[in-house]
Amino acid sequence: KQEVTQIPAALSVPEGENLVLNCSFTDSAIYNLQWFRQDPGKGLTSLLLIQSSQREQTSGRLNASLDKSSGRSTLYIAASQPGDSATYLCAVSRDRGSTLGRLYFGRGTQLTVWP
Amino acid sequence: ETGVTQTPRHLVMGMTNKKSLKCEQHLGHNAMYWYKQSAKKPLELMFVYSLEERVENNSVPSRFSPECPNSSHLFLHLHTLQPEDSALYLCASSQVGSNQPQHFGDGTRLSIL
């Protein structure tokens, strides 16, 4: 069974710092890896999706990398802001084409950015 | 606005009650999902409806019963729930065959008394 681990579980930093969130997965036979953001009392918002054939994806201040063979991904947040405060979830898809759409999630990293 | 709407947002019920959670997606997707998010476990898939086929997690108790009347609507019928069923229930949708992310609703916070 696929297991996804996220480190650290929680992170509190001052505004302006560059951050790295880590995700690891036990089965490297993935189809894609996704990073989501969850605000309190809300659902999940997709941030970045990396296909298994890709090494990284970028969106604004966010950059996600994927090392499929070693079962690792990192989410890099540049110049953090208080609005970045949320829980960040990593998930991997194992079924090609998302036919079954099964995502395996980590427990998340709870990020607090203070002014 | 995510394109996936869940109702109600909050639900408190006793263990002997019967209730239903509703999800509607406005994205033209052809697959819908129910997830459970509790404090003690990672977010976990419960059911998938994809192209009229239902796939379920074998660990989901029979007191949870999904219904998908069409590609835009998904229900989760609840009966004789237990206190450990208290959690955030999230609905999502996606387009099968694409490599696009799933879109999530804001969830229903369920509390069992």
Side-chain angles (χ1 to χ4, degrees):
Chain A
K1 180 185 176 182
Q2 178 74 271
E3 293 187 2
V4 181
T5 302
Q6 291 188 246
I7 296 173
L11 188 60
S12 182
V13 299
E15 181 177 9
E17 282 206 359
N18 300 322
L19 309 172
V20 176
L21 308 182
N22 296 292
C23 172
S24 62
F25 45 94
T26 54
D27 187 344
S28 62
I30 65 169
Y31 184 55
N32 61 44
L33 181 144
Q34 300 178 45
W35 284 93
F36 292 90
R37 168 184 174 142
Q38 186 175 29
D39 293 288
K42 296 286 189 178
L44 277 64
T45 300
S46 178
L47 298 173
L48 291 165
L49 183 152
I50 310 176
Q51 298 183 36
S52 60
S53 59
Q54 297 177 321
R55 298 285 292 183
E56 67 176 343
Q57 281 286 339
T58 298
S59 176
R61 293 183 294 108
L62 305 179
N63 175 277
S65 66
L66 173 64
D67 185 341
K68 181 181 171 183
S69 60
S70 67
R72 294 178 183 176
S73 175
T74 59
L75 178 65
Y76 178 81
I77 303 176
S80 59
Q81 303 171 357
D84 294 331
S85 299
T87 297
Y88 290 80
L89 294 161
C90 170
V92 296
S93 171
R94 192 169 180 271
D95 300 302
R96 194 192 187 288
S98 299
T99 303
L100 299 179
R102 179 145 199 171
L103 291 176
Y104 296 84
F105 283 86
R107 291 177 181 269
T109 293
Q110 186 172 359
L111 174 64
T112 302
V113 181
W114 37 278
Chain B
E1 178 61 44
T2 66
V4 180
T5 304
Q6 290 187 243
T7 55
R9 292 296 314 278
H10 303 274
L11 179 61
V12 180
M13 56 187 287
M15 290 190 287
T16 58
N17 292 156
K18 292 183 179 180
K19 296 286 185 181
S20 296
L21 309 184
K22 179 182 177 181
C23 177
E24 182 175 1
Q25 60 97 0
H26 312 275
L27 301 167
H29 288 162
N30 57 11
M32 297 186 76
Y33 314 82
W34 280 117
Y35 288 89
K36 177 182 179 182
Q37 187 176 37
S38 58
K40 299 181 179 180
K41 295 182 179 180
L43 213 157
E44 186 176 21
L45 180 69
M46 300 175 72
F47 301 101
V48 180
Y49 274 88
S50 174
L51 301 175
E52 301 181 357
E53 175 189 4
R54 184 176 106 182
V55 178
E56 52 193 281
N57 184 338
N58 291 331
S59 67
V60 177
S62 59
R63 56 186 182 267
F64 294 91
S65 175
E67 178 189 1
C68 190
N70 54 60
S71 60
S72 298
H73 295 86
L74 183 65
F75 296 90
L76 187 62
H77 303 300
L78 318 171
H79 63 97
T80 59
L81 296 191
Q82 302 299 310
E84 62 265 29
D85 297 323
S86 297
L88 180 67
Y89 289 84
L90 291 165
C91 173
S93 69
S94 74
Q95 184 64 23
V96 169
S98 74
N99 201 17
Q100 297 301 310
Q102 294 180 15
H103 291 253
F104 284 78
D106 283 340
T108 294
R109 174 67 63 183
L110 177 65
S111 299
I112 306 300
L113 301 179

